Amino acid sequence: MLILTCPCCGVSAEETEFAAGGEAHITRFGPGASDEEFRDYLFARENPKGVHFERWRHAYGCGKWFHAARCTVTLEVFGTYSAQTLEPPLAIRDAIAARRPGWTWGAAE
Amino acid sequence: MKRYSAFAVAREALRYHKGWGRAWRAPEPKARYDVIIVGAGGHGLATAYYLGKNFGITNVAILEKGWLGGGNTGRNTTIIRSNYLQDSSAAIFEKARSLYEDLSQDLNYNVMFSPRGCLMLAQTQSEVRGYERTAHANALQGVETEWVGPERVKELLPIINLDGPRYPVLGGLWQARAGTARHDAVAWGYARACSDMGMDIIQNCEVTGVMRAGGKVTGVSTTRGEIGCDKLGMVVAGHSGVLADLAGFRLPIESVALQALVSEPVKPLIDIVVMANTVHGYMSQSDKGELVIGGGTDSFNNYSQRGSYHHIEHTLAALIETFPIISRIKMLRQWGGIVDMTGDRSPILSKTPVEGIFVNCGWGTGGFKAIPGSGWAFAELMARGQSPLAEEFSLDRFTEGRFIDESVAAGVAH
Ligand SMILES: Cc1cc2nc3c(=O)[nH]c(=O)nc-3n(C[C@H](O)[C@H](O)[C@H](O)COP(=O)(O)OP(=O)(O)OC[C@H]3O[C@@H](n4cnc5c(N)ncnc54)[C@H](O)[C@@H]3O)c2cc1C
Ligand SMILES: [Zn+2]
């Protein structure tokens, strides 16, 4: 059972209170994009075995979207943070690096 | 290789079963092969088998990081059916189903194919329309299915509660030639036949790198050293993203956990496969008497081969509503597999951006039924560079918007 803390309202709850929204920090391509860029935006995924940045919605709570950093092998949650950002904040990256020595944000991309 | 037969069983019975040999060899890897297949699941092994059988390519190695058949091939609920909506799906799944019919004879290995029939229940008006449409589509595709009303459902499934409080049963899509097979036996049968053709199945050998030169594959590095090859087939289901990453490209795949469970063994209760997609549960009974039950996937990316508990609760609650008789049966064990989900819920059999690398993945929650057909088509693709059955399942479809959308067709699961 996965337990997440919603950074919007501060509630910690089981995964059944949340809805998973897939990979976070995907660049949205708009008009003028090439077919390949639009394909990547819609379908291509990192799908890493390890550190994953992902979107969640506090569906049965405050209803807001947020981001989480989580390990897809151990299901450890490194932290959750606001969705109003293009990349994970430093505190989250440090929390991951502390648990996964050698990991860096660029390397995951 | 010694052939299995009634005579062999009788002979061995008389000499205390001391004469059985190994079913497949355990060779050391050679320095180089014409073709390397990564992943000794059903799809990888079937690919190797048809490379040998249909194209005479036998200088082949199948590399497996664990034990053969230990991935999703040994974890599924063994449902075999071909009642899909889209023509290209129906073609490859029906090819697979028809190959299953005489696979035991072909491999000289009893895969226990049991065409007991599969019934997909319609419990909402939209499902009724969906399945009627599928029945019509199947008629055009030459796949024998039939829309049946509630009375026939009750005949096929006496234990069903037709007027469930939430979702009364309004009818169903019946495929009499669908059924189940023994999943381990499918992997073992193909493995034995591949080994017999001189192919090397190398277990405990994880691929950790893909070697390339000038945009072309030259081999792989593994936990048992470097191995060269001309062509590489990646057939690793939930780990497809990891393999693609090693080869320097990305796939439209996400890996999630799918669970199944079995009950304590009970007397014969249900002699067909039943699927209830609205409430998300499906069930059949094994020869040992266990109810084999599956449900939905977890919603988040996962490589842990465990699923979340609430999915089991959800599946069982749904099944108990439709089959009240099972409410007191105890569940024996539960497990999970990592399934490879694509955006349109259809598989990928394709060339890749790296010359010589081919990928067969995206079978997600429903690829056991496809093993023989997938191996047949993928072997052709790898040997000839093209295959009519595989053509529509290429990676280009995600760029061209040519999806094979099976998620809107009511056949969502397995
Ligand atoms: C719970 C559950 C129920 C299911 N029920 C059904 C069903 O009823 N009907 C149906 O049709 N389908 C069902 N499926 C789906 C079906 O099991 C799969 O689609 C199918 O088995 C996939 O076969 P495969 O050979 O592609 O993959 P797998 O059998 O998973 O084989 C892939 C192999 O690749 C190996 N591998 C991975 N990475 C590496 C590496 N780096 N180096 C070497 N080897 C590697 C793995 O160890 C594994 O053995 C179910 C799946 C699950 C999990
Ligand atoms: Zn909240």
Side-chain angles (χ1 to χ4, degrees):
Chain A
M1 180 63 67
L2 197 59
I3 295 178
L4 294 168
T5 303
C6 171
C8 309
C9 68
V11 166
S12 292
E14 291 178 351
E15 63 182 88
T16 48
E17 201 169 309
F18 302 92
E23 188 177 315
H25 307 302
I26 294 175
T27 314
R28 181 182 175 130
F29 286 93
S34 70
D35 287 353
E36 285 71 24
E37 285 166 338
F38 208 65
R39 170 204 63 200
D40 286 355
Y41 160 60
L42 286 175
F43 297 110
R45 295 294 175 261
E46 295 298 329
N47 195 22
K49 187 173 182 176
V51 180
H52 190 232
F53 298 95
E54 54 197 20
R55 294 159 15 102
W56 286 86
R57 194 167 84 87
H58 195 180
Y60 297 100
C62 69
K64 296 214 169 84
W65 284 97
F66 62 92
H67 287 173
R70 187 177 59 86
C71 176
T72 59
V73 180
T74 61
L75 306 193
E76 174 179 1
V77 179
F78 303 109
T80 55
Y81 54 100
S82 161
Q84 312 302 319
T85 171
L86 293 177
E87 46 181 52
L90 199 58
I92 294 286
R93 288 190 239 170
D94 287 346
I96 299 168
R99 300 284 297 154
R100 298 282 181 276
W103 178 88
T104 56
W105 159 243
E109 284 307 274
Chain B
M1 176 184 77
K2 284 205 185 108
R3 282 187 68 78
Y4 296 152
S5 64
F7 171 74
V9 171
R11 185 192 60 215
E12 289 306 320
L14 293 175
R15 53 181 198 197
Y16 304 101
H17 293 282
K18 286 182 180 159
W20 298 117
R22 288 187 77 122
W24 50 83
R25 295 167 296 112
E28 286 300 311
K30 292 191 262 182
R32 198 202 142 266
Y33 295 89
D34 292 345
V35 175
I36 290 181
I37 303 287
V38 190
H43 289 261
L45 292 163
T47 302
Y49 175 70
Y50 294 112
L51 274 174
K53 184 178 173 185
N54 296 351
F55 301 99
I57 300 171
T58 54
N59 185 15
V60 175
I62 305 130
L63 310 182
E64 167 55 52
K65 78 175 157 81
W67 66 96
L68 73 88
N72 294 342
T73 298
R75 293 165 185 270
N76 64 75
T77 45
T78 76
I79 300 173
I80 295 169
R81 58 181 181 87
S82 58
N83 50 354
Y84 283 72
L85 180 65
Q86 310 294 345
D87 290 351
S88 32
S89 321
I92 195 164
F93 284 106
E94 177 64 5
K95 173 75 185 170
R97 196 205 54 74
S98 65
L99 285 170
Y100 263 121
E101 288 195 330
D102 51 12
L103 193 60
S104 296
Q105 287 77 5
D106 188 30
L107 298 177
N108 180 235
Y109 200 99
N110 188 1
V111 302
M112 297 166 76
F113 178 56
S114 158
R116 58 184 69 182
C118 174
L119 181 65
M120 299 171 77
L121 299 178
Q123 292 174 287
T124 62
Q125 283 300 337
S126 79
E127 257 185 322
V128 172
R129 283 190 293 274
Y131 287 143
E132 283 179 340
R133 181 181 171 207
T134 304
H136 292 311
N138 289 163
L140 293 171
Q141 292 151 349
V143 177
E144 196 182 325
T145 64
E146 172 190 6
W147 164 259
V148 296
E151 308 74 35
R152 178 84 175 114
V153 169
K154 186 75 186 170
E155 248 172 62
L156 288 164
L157 259 177
I159 63 168
I160 200 168
N161 174 22
L162 286 180
D163 40 40
R166 272 198 306 169
Y167 295 110
V169 175
L170 307 171
L173 183 67
W174 171 238
Q175 184 176 21
R177 287 162 172 258
T180 59
R182 167 123 198 249
H183 49 11
D184 300 316
V186 172
W188 296 340
Y190 276 120
R192 176 167 167 269
C194 288
S195 179
D196 190 43
M197 285 189 277
M199 298 180 181
D200 289 351
I201 303 168
I202 300 160
Q203 305 186 65
N204 297 314
C205 178
E206 179 171 354
V207 171
T208 52
V210 176
M211 303 181 305
R212 284 156 288 163
K216 199 179 170 316
V217 68
T218 56
V220 291
S221 34
T222 77
T223 46
R224 296 180 65 175
E226 291 187 353
I227 311 176
C229 67
D230 290 345
K231 289 181 184 170
L232 181 68
M234 297 179 171
V235 199
V236 293
H239 280 76
S240 298
V242 177
L243 258 288
D245 191 43
L246 295 179
F249 56 90
R250 280 198 299 172
L251 288 171
I253 295 265
E254 294 203 77
S255 300
V256 297
L258 174 65
Q259 299 176 77
L261 58 161
V262 292
S263 74
E264 58 188 333
V266 290
K267 286 261 167 16
L269 193 67
I270 154 175
D271 61 1
I272 62 171
V273 177
V274 62
M275 311 183 53
N277 288 332
T278 292
V279 294
H280 244 128
Y282 59 92
M283 182 165 81
S284 65
Q285 191 168 14
S286 74
D287 294 344
K288 285 182 283 181
E290 301 162 331
L291 296 177
V292 181
I293 293 173
T297 52
D298 278 8
S299 54
F300 52 84
N301 294 43
N302 191 345
Y303 283 85
S304 75
Q305 290 197 138
R306 284 190 302 272
S308 298
Y309 186 70
H310 66 92
H311 280 283
I312 307 176
E313 271 184 317
H314 179 78
T315 299
L316 290 179
L319 286 176
I320 286 168
E321 228 171 72
T322 316
F323 306 99
I325 192 176
I326 69 166
S327 68
R328 295 301 162 111
I329 293 180
K330 295 188 187 70
M331 292 301 143
L332 271 193
R333 48 179 201 279
Q334 164 276 349
W335 65 91
I338 301 306
V339 294
D340 38 341
M341 309 297 282
T342 58
D344 60 358
R345 299 293 180 263
S346 285
I348 298 168
L349 293 96
S350 183
K351 296 180 182 170
T352 67
V354 182
E355 200 187 325
I357 301 188
F358 299 78
V359 56
N360 181 351
C361 64
W363 293 97
T365 61
F368 174 69
K369 63 176 73 64
I371 285 172
S374 156
W376 184 282
F378 196 55
E380 187 173 25
L381 180 67
M382 288 192 74
R384 291 203 173 137
Q386 60 173 67
S387 154
L389 278 176
E391 202 179 317
E392 306 269 320
F393 295 101
S394 72
L395 272 170
D396 315 336
R397 75 176 191 270
F398 295 97
T399 319
E400 293 165 6
R402 211 170 20 79
F403 308 121
I404 304 165
D405 194 347
E406 288 295 346
S407 58
V408 291
V412 282
H414 329 292

